[in-house]
Amino acid sequence: MGLWEKLKDALKKSRDKIVKGFKDIFKRREYDESFWEDLEETLILADVGPETSERIVSSLRKKLKRIKTVDELEEAIVQELLTLLEENKTPEEDNPFYPLVKPSSKPLVVMILGVNGTGKTSFSVKLAKYYKDKGLKPIIGACDTYRVAAIDQLVEWSQRVGVEVIKQFQGADAAAVAYDTVNAARSRGYDIAILDTAGRLHTRDELMRELKKMDKVLKKLDPDYPHEKLLVLDGTFGLNSLKQTRMFHQEIGTTGIVITKLDTSSKAGFVLSIRDELKVPIKFISIGERMTDIQPFDPEGFIRALLARDEVEMRTSA
Ligand SMILES: Nc1nc2c(ncn2[C@@H]2O[C@H](COP(=O)(O)OP(=O)(O)OP(=O)(O)O)[C@@H](O)[C@H]2O)c(=O)[nH]1
Ligand SMILES: [Mg+2]
């Protein structure tokens, strides 16, 4: 299966929800008030969020005078949604780390953040495998020292894809593990250091303190560290992720978003709101449990896969 088929397959649940509403809308002959209401409702039902949905609809209304056919309408919707996801449209040819930034010197230091269970550890390993397959040398730091099983789980998954892990004992200082990992990466010529962090400590404040400390300790090695702070969001939560997103964004800062579990989510529409809300680019999506199930986020592919109507449906509705 190619990337496009895999993506289309993964977004099936979300697509079913959104396309059902669109099918009725596309049959309309008149763009009257109820048409716009139904379009807005379809977007809201697909978890796009009320504010973003309203913005999309009001912008489309202004442009509609020029739309004559259903195909034109559909294309206008695609274009409208794309403007919301403007960032990282074209791969940068000279950046082997794309869609992450290219560091001025090796290694690229990446902190993986997010609340518990969103998929941070599996994403860390998937990311390492992704770059390893591209010929780069990744190393992972086991900075979730809080849970007993966390280190073992990371080590086991990493062994499966042949990536080295830097670890200490359970209860060790997470910032010290981060420091060790990046130091090892520097002295041994690794291209990318991925730091898997805890999603939960005794309290939320403690978690934020730990992550801030890690950030500070890394900056002592190099003020540019960490180059990326990727916030991992569970795609099955949909709009409910917004609150935690804001919290991490305000307290720690984020350079990019990762959305996981899109294969089991029916709420992929929330991706549009997240981008609209935070103005932070979505960099990767995860669409399955296998270690190869990640893709750099491609806005156009994503929108088209989300809205794709089957050939048969297109013919019968025409
Ligand atoms: N279907 C599916 N499952 C996923 C995906 N990403 C992660 N998972 C599963 O989600 C569960 C939690 O993943 P972890 O990587 O352990 O999440 P975490 O954020 O590290 O969790 P904590 O360390 O407890 O905070 C695991 O069973 C993963 O296999 C995905 O894209 N699709
Ligand atoms: Mg974990």
Side-chain angles (χ1 to χ4, degrees), residues 121 144 147 153 196:
T121 302
D144 178 359
R147 273 191 317 118
Q153 182 197 38
D196 179 31

Side-chain angles (χ1 to χ4, degrees), residues 28-44:
R28 301 284 184 82
R29 292 284 171 264
E30 266 183 81
Y31 304 131
D32 54 10
E33 205 49 44
S34 76
F35 166 83
W36 294 112
E37 281 166 17
D38 291 349
L39 179 59
E40 195 171 322
E41 198 184 309
T42 299
L43 291 169
I44 291 171

Side-chain angles (χ1 to χ4, degrees), residues 231-246:
L231 180 59
V232 179
L233 300 177
D234 184 331
T236 57
F237 291 170
L239 277 180
N240 294 327
S241 299
L242 263 182
K243 205 172 140 200
Q244 40 162 297
T245 311
R246 283 196 204 101

Side-chain angles (χ1 to χ4, degrees), residues 41 51-52 67 73-74 102 104 117 121 143 145 158 165 178 184 211-212 235 245-246 261 283 308 317:
E41 198 184 309
E51 278 157 39
T52 305
I67 300 168
L73 173 65
E74 190 176 12
K102 186 182 173 181
S104 53
T121 302
C143 303
T145 57
S158 299
V165 173
L211 295 172
K212 279 179 195 165
T245 311
R246 283 196 204 101
K261 310 186 197 180
K283 298 219 168 171
S317 67

